[in-house]
Amino acid sequence: MSDTTRSADLRDVMGQVLGVDASELADDFGPNQVATWTSLKHLELVVSLEEVYGVSLTQQDVRAMRSVAAVREILAGHGVTA
């Protein structure tokens, strides 16, 4: 798959779903640092990422989404630069 750059910034997408200011989301932030990153918000995040970036995330991808950096790496694995 060719590398695809999408207009939406990953931190903006994540901030909107999680209800936090995107500038507060450092790459190493995950559910332990972001109080609103609950299991329900995690699923909402998965759906939003799939819609915004046009990817289909696997169960393994969903389980591996433990930080902003991990989400970025997962998307990169699907050919998306976010």
Side-chain angles (χ1 to χ4, degrees), residues 3-47:
D3 186 38
T4 305
T5 302
R6 305 290 175 151
S7 60
D9 180 72
L10 177 61
R11 283 193 179 93
D12 290 338
V13 173
M14 293 183 74
Q16 184 175 12
V17 171
L18 298 173
V20 297
D21 188 327
S23 65
E24 295 176 15
L25 295 173
D27 275 351
D28 61 342
F29 278 25
N32 293 330
Q33 292 79 22
V34 182
T36 58
W37 193 332
T38 63
S39 58
L40 178 58
K41 288 296 183 180
H42 190 84
L43 294 176
E44 289 179 32
L45 181 59
V46 169
V47 171

